[in-house]
């Protein structure tokens, strides 16, 4: 500004109250003591400030350099760049595994792109409390009946459960055991527990580890039946679509048992028991072999 400023109202109040000395009537000089050579500030501020010359010189050096990858990771970088180029060009073919766990079948047929990505670059998965709890519960049921069908863990419960933590509380397992002991399954003795069956499926092998198989009451024709049961320690399905996806695992179990035991699939029913919710679900529809094959081929031969 060109004129000098008057004392503020606050200074005048303080002077009138005697807190400060009396204010001068006028400035000693009406000329700006800083003269005409004032400091100018550019706005907005330059984000690089004084570093701009060095940064611009470095950027120009990078632009002028010949493209090349050097250093100890050059081979890995070349592979990653080549992989990205193939993916962008639509040539990222992924070989499907020969052995497919039944518990992951729904992931293969409902989200093949995600499964292809996980197969292309497998990543370690964080241990989940619910997964460990499920494993302990299945072992307890197997020991409870004193039956066993195998030890292959390829079709162990996947990490699609809920809850996580740093350890399995004994109280959690005790609660599941108490719920099971009060359920309809407690007094029924299965004919098979943790029965592992390798199911030839199209050009793959589906690994089915069936939690339990029960004999059912004879029908009106006098023929007995069977029921394939899958214990679940996670949450029950939240909607019809979720149930349909989960039922694909049961469908494979039913198909595997029918071929292994040489039993017509029409004589085999299927059920889920969601132990934490104490809920039994018998799906109204369970895919047959033709429907399962159609889903698989649509996902990977589409």
């Amino acid at each position: 500004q060109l004129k000098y400023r008057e004392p503020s109202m606050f200074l005048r109040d303080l002077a009138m109250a005697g807190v400060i000395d009396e204010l001068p009537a006028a400035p000693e000089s009406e000329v700006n003591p800083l003269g005409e050579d004032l400091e100018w500030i550019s706005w907005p501020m330059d984000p690089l400030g004084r570093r701009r010359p060095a940064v611009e010189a470095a950027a120009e050096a990078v632009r002028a350099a010949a493209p090349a990858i050097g250093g100890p990771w050059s081979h890995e970088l070349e592979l990653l760049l080549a992989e990205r180029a193939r993916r962008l060009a639509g040539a990222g073919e992924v070989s499907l595994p020969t052995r497919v766990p039944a518990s992951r079948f729904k992931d293969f047929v409902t989200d093949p792109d995600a499964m292809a990505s996980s197969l292309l670059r497998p990543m370690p998965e964080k241990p989940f409390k619910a997964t460990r709890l499920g494993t302990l519960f299945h072992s307890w049921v197997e020991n409870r009946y004193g039956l066993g069908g195998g030890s292959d863990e390829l079709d162990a419960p996947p990490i699609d459960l809920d809850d996580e933590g740093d350890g399995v509380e004994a109280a959690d397992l005790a609660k599941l055991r108490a719920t099971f002991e009060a359920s309809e399954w407690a007094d029924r003795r299965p004919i098979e527990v943790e029965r592992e069956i390798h199911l030839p499926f199209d050009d793959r092998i589906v690994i089915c580890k069936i939690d339990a198989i029960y004999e059912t009451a004879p029908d009106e024709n006098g023929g007995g039946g069977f029921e394939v049961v899958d214990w679940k320690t996670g949450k029950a399905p939240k909607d019809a679509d979720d149930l349909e996806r989960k039922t694909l695992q049961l469908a494979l179990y039913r198909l595997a048992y029918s071929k292994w035991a040489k039993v017509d699939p029409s004589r085999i029913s299927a059920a889920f028991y969601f132990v934490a919710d104490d809920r039994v679900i018998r799906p109204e529809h369970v895919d047959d072999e033709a429907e399962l094959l159609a889903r698989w081929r649509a996902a990977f031969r589409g």
Side-chain angles (χ1 to χ4, degrees):
Q1 67 188 54
L2 300 179
K3 292 185 60 179
Y4 62 85
R5 294 183 180 181
E6 299 285 344
S8 73
M9 56 181 289
F10 304 107
L11 287 175
R12 291 197 297 268
D13 289 345
L14 290 172
M16 290 178 61
V19 177
I20 62 175
D21 296 336
E22 184 178 351
L23 298 174
E28 296 178 357
S29 172
E30 295 187 4
V31 179
N32 191 335
L34 297 179
E36 300 296 331
D37 187 17
L38 302 179
E39 180 179 1
W40 294 87
I41 299 177
S42 299
W43 188 264
M45 299 288 288
D46 185 351
L48 295 179
R50 298 179 180 178
R51 296 172 54 245
R52 174 165 292 282
V55 172
E56 290 183 342
E60 182 58 34
V62 171
R63 285 191 290 266
I69 298 176
W73 303 104
S74 58
H75 179 64
E76 286 77 4
L77 291 172
E78 292 283 4
L79 292 176
L80 289 171
L81 290 172
E83 177 189 312
R84 186 185 68 170
R86 290 195 304 271
R87 185 179 302 169
L88 293 175
E93 296 294 333
V94 178
S95 298
L96 295 175
T98 302
R99 288 156 52 91
V100 176
S103 57
R104 302 304 301 271
F105 183 86
K106 61 179 173 54
D107 301 317
F108 277 93
V109 300
T110 59
D111 197 352
D113 291 339
M115 284 303 303
S117 178
S118 66
L119 292 172
L120 187 65
R121 186 177 300 165
M123 297 295 290
E125 294 179 317
K126 176 182 178 181
F128 279 69
K129 172 185 176 182
T131 308
R132 296 193 295 271
L133 179 60
T135 301
L136 288 176
F137 174 78
H138 281 74
S139 297
W140 173 78
V141 174
E142 183 176 357
N143 292 330
R144 181 183 188 274
Y145 290 115
L147 300 171
S151 59
D152 196 317
E153 294 300 323
L154 180 61
D155 194 33
I159 302 178
D160 63 352
L161 305 176
D162 60 314
D163 203 5
E164 57 182 273
D166 295 327
V168 177
E169 297 290 343
D172 296 332
L173 180 59
K175 185 177 180 180
L176 293 177
R177 291 170 57 176
T179 301
F180 185 90
E181 295 286 7
S183 73
E184 65 179 80
W185 313 101
D187 296 328
R188 297 177 59 185
R189 183 169 180 80
I191 59 174
E192 296 282 356
V193 173
E194 298 296 329
R195 166 57 60 188
E196 181 182 312
I197 301 173
H198 293 200
L199 171 67
F201 187 82
D202 211 11
D203 54 352
R204 306 289 155 184
I205 300 294
V206 177
I207 309 301
C208 301
K209 193 165 187 181
I210 306 172
D211 290 344
I213 302 166
Y214 292 86
E215 286 187 306
T216 57
D219 56 22
E220 61 273 10
N221 299 320
F226 303 89
E227 185 165 54
V228 171
V229 182
D230 191 25
W231 320 124
K232 295 291 188 186
T233 53
K235 296 292 185 182
K238 55 183 179 293
D239 52 39
D241 290 340
D242 189 19
L243 175 59
E244 181 182 1
R245 290 190 295 270
K246 285 181 168 61
T247 303
L248 294 176
Q249 183 176 352
L250 270 184
L252 289 165
Y253 287 174
R254 185 182 72 168
L255 177 62
Y257 187 69
S258 72
K259 291 183 176 296
W260 181 79
K262 297 179 174 55
V263 176
D264 191 289
S266 63
R267 295 175 54 200
I268 306 174
S269 60
F272 288 115
Y273 180 42
F274 291 90
V275 188
D277 296 329
D278 192 21
R279 183 180 174 189
V280 178
I281 297 180
R282 292 181 170 88
E284 294 182 3
H285 176 77
V286 178
D287 281 6
D288 59 21
E289 183 174 13
E291 291 170 312
L292 290 169
L293 282 170
R295 289 180 185 268
W296 179 264
R297 291 169 180 172
F300 294 103
R301 299 184 182 179

